[in-house]
Amino acid sequence: MSNGREQRISDALGQLIDRSLPLDDTDASNTQYARALEAAQDILEDSGDAPTIAGDVYHTRDLINRRLIQDNDTPQRSLRFQNLFSRLLVHPVLSQKWAILHLLHQISDTDPTVTLPDGPIRPSPKPTPSLRSVNVSDSMSNHGAKREDRVFDEAFSRQGLSSMANHTSRHGSPRPSQIDRSMETPRRPRKDEPAKGSALENDRLRDHDPSEAALLRDIPFTLQGVSSTNLKFSSTNTLEMPRTLPAPIIALLHTLAEPSLLYKSLSTWLESQHNGLVEQSLRAAIGVELRSYLGLVATLEGQIRQALASTDISKKGLGRSGVTLRRCVIWTREATMGLRLMSLVVEEAKNRRGCQIISLIHSFSSSHGDPFVGAFAERLLSHVTRPFYDMLRQWIYDGELADPYHEFFVSEQQEKIDDGRGRATSVWEDKYKLDEGMIPSIVTAEFAKKVFLIGKSLNFIRYACGDSEWVENYSKAKSQELHYGDTASLISSIDEAYRTTMAQLISLMTSKFKLIEHLTALKKYLMLSQGDFVALLMESLASNLDRPANSQYRHTLTAQLEHSIRNSNAQYESEDVLQRLDARMLELSHGEIGWDVFTLEYKIDAPVDVIVTPHASKQYLKVFNFLWRVKRVEFALASTWRRAMTGARSELGAVADKTGKDWQNARCVIAEMIHFVTQLQYYILFEVIEASWETLQKALDRPEVTLDDMIQAHARYLRSITHKGLLGSSGYLDFPTQLHELLKLMLAYTDALDGLYGVSLHELSRRDAKAARIDSRTRAGKWGVTEKDEDDDFDAAHRRKGLRSRDTDSPLPPPLLKINGDMTGATDSSVLPALRVRMGSLASDFRAKISGLLGDLAYQPDPDMRFLGVVMNFNDTYKVVRRSRRTKPTEKDDEKGETKGKEIEKEKTSDEKAAGQTVVNGERSKRSEASRGQASR
């Protein structure tokens, strides 16, 4: 090796042994120093002949870590070693990392209590894997290695070497380096005499300008971000250094410049404008940390001044004073890490606010592996989270949102949109929203949802329910301070507040505001579950609703409603329920009758309208209109059936030879229609509404039910009724349109039967009039039947025959002709065939549409809907036909389906215009028959 390298190694060994041996300036101490130095040099010389050992830095780390865990009761030293090891791995200057760790490990394994025996000791020429390992195959080498280890151990022990004899090489003559060292005995430097290496270093450092002492005087100012004589800040993020400094000094100053620039940047940020309470807390926490940093700088400044004042730098150098630039770097290392972390937090928090800043700091605490970073982040969180916990306390105990800068994960909606919903609905659903993006990572999503429901419920109780007194008493009794770190107490407080608040809110809704009673009333009167009330109301309103819609008056409808209530079991309802029930008219359109515009209304006010929302009220109205239309068809079919059955034993039996076959067919068709309507009503009222009502009651009676649960359960209740009740479209199927068409056909068929009844009565009155003429002529002594009567009968027969032939040739059914008040034989002969054709056509259309509906029901996924098709066709009367899939209905088609109810009555009106006077003429025939009976008496 070169002379310069040997000199540096010799100086380094001298400094190492000087620090290891006791401080003494005697001859014995100098001799011990010389022997230790020579032993260390022999080890270095012999290490060149040893084979290279495969270095594994991680294996050496594990050995040292295991040693630290065994020798210490606490894991603090092990954690600190792991931290230092992680820094060593990323250090770019040190390349022999394994060798450093291996040397430190071997030094720590030396036994200072072993003494060295007298006699010559030579280093073993055998290759050794480490300073303490030996070759067991050679006893002499083994013995020499052990003695050499003892020499090395004593050289670095507190007492030093016990004895050290001159020795020669085992191979003969000593090596040149050994001969040179044996000719000169090294002398240990005195306490006041600097080492040779230190002197060289100090001479070199004193040569540069400015000197290290001058730089040390400027360091306290630089660390505070203040310009000094040699180190000046040209800008906020730039520090200028002298160009005459050597590279090692520049490297140290670069390291010290980092905390200086970070402190200056953080100080500037503290003086800038703040936004938000959480950011203010962050500024306060960083201010506390910066004051601690300034305390460290003040301590460092005191040490520098004391060292410079008590040490003669020109003679002894700064190494003896205890304060150097390198030591300043070491002393400020942890402070630099803290400043670096705070600077990173400030930079990342610029575009964040409130709970997002808390999540940012918490990420360093929960996911960073460095214990120092985790502890530092926890210390910041204890200050930063104070505004958050203050807002949380006011929200869960008072129901008030004290968030002027929008930093909480609950936000209040400022814009009030008038969408037609009730006041309580807007307070519960629209006043506050849960912002999932603002939920801090220190709480879970479930925890945040509970907190949101607690505050919203308290706010609802205070403003919508008008029970602010209970909220104030609850706040005084339960309110307590919340702070970061006490997780168990926070969770228990939230759970208790959640249970108490939900129980009070549900109690108010069910007892004070009678939610269950209102839902029951809606089921009874708008879903027609109160049978006696519905039947009486329909009978009392039938005559009024047959008139045009513009002739209906609300006071008339209200009077009939009051009459139906007083004469049914509805009279036993509470006064509050009866006052909410009202009859009103829908918007009028041209050509509509009273059946089209009549509806019942049940008024809901706050706070019950948070569950029975205006949208839900429209759903109830939709269900009522459909069931009311079905009830109307049932009422019309029942009236027609009653008239046909009673008339068959009286006036209709007298003309059985002419219309008996028609009435027989009509009774069969009416029976089919009545069966269809009966099964449809049973299915909707019992299989759908009653089953859904039972499910709703179970959901509302759950012990831990919340208001949101009630809202969702009621929404599911209405969806189940509209879907399973055939009131909603299912894919390509449109059940409401099919049902509206069937109801329209049944109403048209009852109108045709009214016409047939009028024709039958007219035929009966004509025959009675003819019999009366024959009887009067016979009593007068004349012929009962004249030639004129026979000619009229012959012409009528020919006209019926010609009309029948024209009907057979025409591909379309003839229209239903108007029957005049003075029924003639010619008119009768033209109306009856048209009625027969129309009745047959309506019956065929009814059966075809029933078959299509049954085919759609047979392939529904819901078992109740499939069972409805089974009971409607229990004896396979109808041939089930599954229609081909159509495209999904558009919005325009859905609007058409909603207006089918109005089209039913419009077409009914047009049919009445075609045979408008049939029923009237039938009534006139009844009156004429009654007058003839009185005249005969």
Side-chain angles (χ1 to χ4, degrees), residues 55-121:
D56 187 354
V57 65
Y58 295 100
H59 175 67
T60 309
R61 178 202 62 181
D62 295 338
L63 293 176
I64 297 176
N65 193 28
R66 190 180 303 115
R67 176 69 176 271
L68 291 174
I69 294 175
Q70 292 175 357
D71 295 345
N72 297 277
D73 297 335
T74 60
Q76 298 297 330
R77 291 184 177 273
S78 176
L79 293 175
R80 183 167 181 81
F81 168 72
Q82 293 176 8
N83 185 18
L84 294 174
F85 176 76
S86 62
R87 298 180 187 178
L88 176 65
L89 290 181
V90 299
H91 203 286
V93 177
L94 301 177
S95 59
Q96 302 295 330
K97 299 180 176 59
W98 170 82
I100 296 173
L101 290 177
H102 188 69
L103 175 62
L104 294 176
H105 177 57
Q106 294 300 328
I107 291 175
S108 66
D109 284 343
T110 56
D111 188 3
T113 62
V114 178
T115 61
L116 186 67
D118 297 334
I121 300 176

Side-chain angles (χ1 to χ4, degrees), residues 244-257:
T244 58
L245 295 175
I249 301 298
I250 292 293
L252 294 175
L253 291 179
H254 278 173
T255 306
L256 292 171

Side-chain angles (χ1 to χ4, degrees), residues 395-411:
W395 177 251
I396 65 175
Y397 291 121
D398 298 327
E400 298 291 344
L401 183 61
D403 185 18
Y405 296 99
H406 307 289
E407 300 175 292
F408 202 53
F409 58 83
V410 178
S411 60

Side-chain angles (χ1 to χ4, degrees), residues 465-495:
C465 300
D467 196 1
S468 59
E469 181 180 358
W470 182 88
V471 176
E472 294 175 358
N473 295 334
Y474 166 78
S475 177
K476 293 178 182 178
K478 301 294 184 180
S479 181
Q480 59 180 351
E481 290 294 332
L482 305 175
H483 56 275
Y484 177 75
D486 193 1
T487 306
S489 176
L490 178 63
I491 293 177
S492 63
S493 301
I494 294 299
D495 291 341

Side-chain angles (χ1 to χ4, degrees), residues 507-526:
S507 176
L508 287 174
M509 296 296 292
T510 54
S511 59
K512 181 179 179 180
F513 299 104
K514 305 184 184 304
L515 172 65
I516 305 300
E517 184 176 351
H518 292 316
L519 294 177
T520 306
L522 287 169
K523 173 178 172 290
K524 284 183 178 180
Y525 302 112
L526 293 191

Side-chain angles (χ1 to χ4, degrees), residues 375-442:
F376 192 89
E378 289 288 329
R379 191 162 64 248
L380 285 180
L381 280 176
S382 62
H383 295 278
V384 174
T385 54
R386 288 176 182 174
F388 168 77
Y389 282 103
D390 288 341
M391 288 185 277
L392 180 63
R393 182 185 58 80
Q394 295 186 43
W395 177 251
I396 65 175
Y397 291 121
D398 298 327
E400 298 291 344
L401 183 61
D403 185 18
Y405 296 99
H406 307 289
E407 300 175 292
F408 202 53
F409 58 83
V410 178
S411 60
E412 184 175 3
Q413 305 301 308
Q414 301 296 335
E415 298 181 1
K416 297 182 179 180
I417 302 175
D418 186 10
D419 55 356
R421 292 188 289 182
R423 182 175 63 87
T425 304
S426 62
V427 170
W428 180 259
E429 295 185 356
D430 298 335
K431 187 175 181 180
Y432 298 105
K433 294 294 182 182
L434 178 62
D435 189 355
E436 296 182 357
M438 291 291 291
I439 298 177
S441 57
I442 59 177

